[in-house]
Amino acid sequence: MRCEPSVPAEVLAAMRAPFASAGAEVVDPPILQPLGALLDLAGEALRARLFVVQAEGGAEACLRPDFTVPVARLHLEHGGGEGRYYYEGRAFRAAPERSDRAEEFLQIGLEFYGAADGSVVEADAEIAALAWRASTAGGRDDLVLWLGDVALFAAFVDALDLAPGLAARLKRAAARPRRMQAELDRAGAAAPSAGGGQLAATLAGLSEPEAEALLQEVWALAGVERVGGRGAAEIAQRLIRRAEDARAPALTEAEAEAVRRFLAVEAAPNEALAALGALASAGGAFAEALEDWRERLARLASAGVPLEQARFAARLGHTFDYYDGLTFEVRSRALGADRPVAVGGRYDGLSARLGGAAGARAVGAMVRPWRAFAGGEA
């Protein structure tokens, strides 16, 4: 396993300093994490990037690939509610074939959990500004703050007034470029007459208690052990929704073109908001979301983030699909888009997916010190 070199102590201390001002509890979640829970959130394709371990007769686990899910699980174990957490420790990801990238590397970061009625915009701006300050403390002079928003795309989709199944399918594809391209490529195609599988079709005809009982019976017959936080009822409903989505119509050519125009927007933040505003009719949730972004930008500027070093990209997403609002990355021009210095965003729905209460607010950020360090990764 290739290990990342250490950052000089004084530089690392400067990167920690912005996070130390956030009033967060220091946590150190376990290095071993349940594999099933991570694959449930990110998909089986992530397995190739994980270091998987298994004791004889035990469940599969993996070395933590990052800290967001481990800290979320720790937060739920502490009872949920409000909380702020700071972490610093090693994470592990298998490098692609023929790559010389480090597979064991240091991450520092923050995760904020707030009440359902808390200010989303204020917390978003705070976490992004802290990540920017921590990143710039490493001494690089080529950093750019890239901004995006999964929820903004969802509001745009709602403004298109699509069939519910199609709208849901598009929203799920927001952070998955291949899925989104597949949706755009099949524009104008006829809707399938059936889809989703026989089990999902059977579940769709049952009441919720009946669907839950049937799924439990199928698991027992197959010897399947459930992983992650979802119960049988939630999984049954998800299967039903996916079957309904599969039967939904494709985009029309006009709708696909509207989505393409949205995803093509990439510019300085205020210019990008103006371009996005021109794509949808005034009013509604989309206009409100754009107004929230104007407030975010004002707060970022007030926190000392130079907006002339920021870009807004409508298609910016992350590997993990639990991000459902703000997304951001701090990138170095020397390292490129596939080696970000910092990554963060909002993931309000993650707690519920891990078995916690719905409606919680959560946003976080992670910085890679070796990448942020001017004398580090090149």
Side-chain angles (χ1 to χ4, degrees), residues 42 68 99 114 135 208-209 367 372:
T68 301
S99 170
S135 299
E208 185 170 317
V367 175

Short mmCIF file of all heavy atoms in Angstrom, two decimals, residues 42 68 99 114 135 208-209 367 372:
data_model
loop_
_atom_site.label_atom_id
_atom_site.label_comp_id
_atom_site.label_asym_id
_atom_site.label_seq_id
_atom_site.Cartn_x
_atom_site.Cartn_y
_atom_site.Cartn_z
N ALA A 42 -23.26 3.92 -2.27
CA ALA A 42 -22.49 4.37 -3.44
C ALA A 42 -22.55 3.42 -4.62
O ALA A 42 -22.11 3.78 -5.71
CB ALA A 42 -21.03 4.58 -3.04
N THR A 68 -17.14 10.79 5.97
CA THR A 68 -18.51 11.29 6.09
C THR A 68 -19.45 10.23 6.66
O THR A 68 -20.17 10.49 7.64
CB THR A 68 -19.02 11.77 4.72
OG1 THR A 68 -18.17 12.80 4.23
CG2 THR A 68 -20.44 12.33 4.85
N SER A 99 -1.62 3.31 -11.63
CA SER A 99 -1.54 4.63 -11.03
C SER A 99 -0.53 4.61 -9.89
O SER A 99 -0.34 3.59 -9.22
CB SER A 99 -2.92 5.03 -10.47
OG SER A 99 -2.81 6.20 -9.68
N GLY A 114 -27.52 19.78 12.13
CA GLY A 114 -28.36 20.81 12.72
C GLY A 114 -29.81 20.42 12.76
O GLY A 114 -30.21 19.38 12.21
N SER A 135 -7.72 25.10 2.97
CA SER A 135 -6.99 24.74 1.76
C SER A 135 -5.92 25.76 1.42
O SER A 135 -4.78 25.41 1.09
CB SER A 135 -7.97 24.59 0.59
OG SER A 135 -8.91 23.57 0.82
N GLU A 208 -48.62 -1.94 2.38
CA GLU A 208 -47.27 -1.82 2.92
C GLU A 208 -46.93 -2.96 3.87
O GLU A 208 -45.84 -3.54 3.76
CB GLU A 208 -47.10 -0.46 3.61
CG GLU A 208 -45.67 -0.22 4.09
CD GLU A 208 -45.44 1.20 4.55
OE1 GLU A 208 -45.92 2.13 3.88
OE2 GLU A 208 -44.79 1.38 5.59
N PRO A 209 -47.80 -3.34 4.83
CA PRO A 209 -47.46 -4.48 5.70
C PRO A 209 -47.29 -5.78 4.93
O PRO A 209 -46.40 -6.59 5.23
CB PRO A 209 -48.65 -4.55 6.67
CG PRO A 209 -49.23 -3.19 6.66
CD PRO A 209 -49.04 -2.68 5.27
N VAL A 367 -10.57 18.09 3.68
CA VAL A 367 -9.39 18.64 3.02
C VAL A 367 -8.29 17.58 3.02
O VAL A 367 -8.08 16.89 4.01
CB VAL A 367 -8.90 19.92 3.73
CG1 VAL A 367 -7.60 20.42 3.11
CG2 VAL A 367 -9.97 21.01 3.67
N ALA A 372 -3.10 20.13 -0.54
CA ALA A 372 -3.17 21.57 -0.29
C ALA A 372 -1.80 22.19 -0.09
O ALA A 372 -1.58 23.37 -0.37
CB ALA A 372 -4.05 21.83 0.94
#
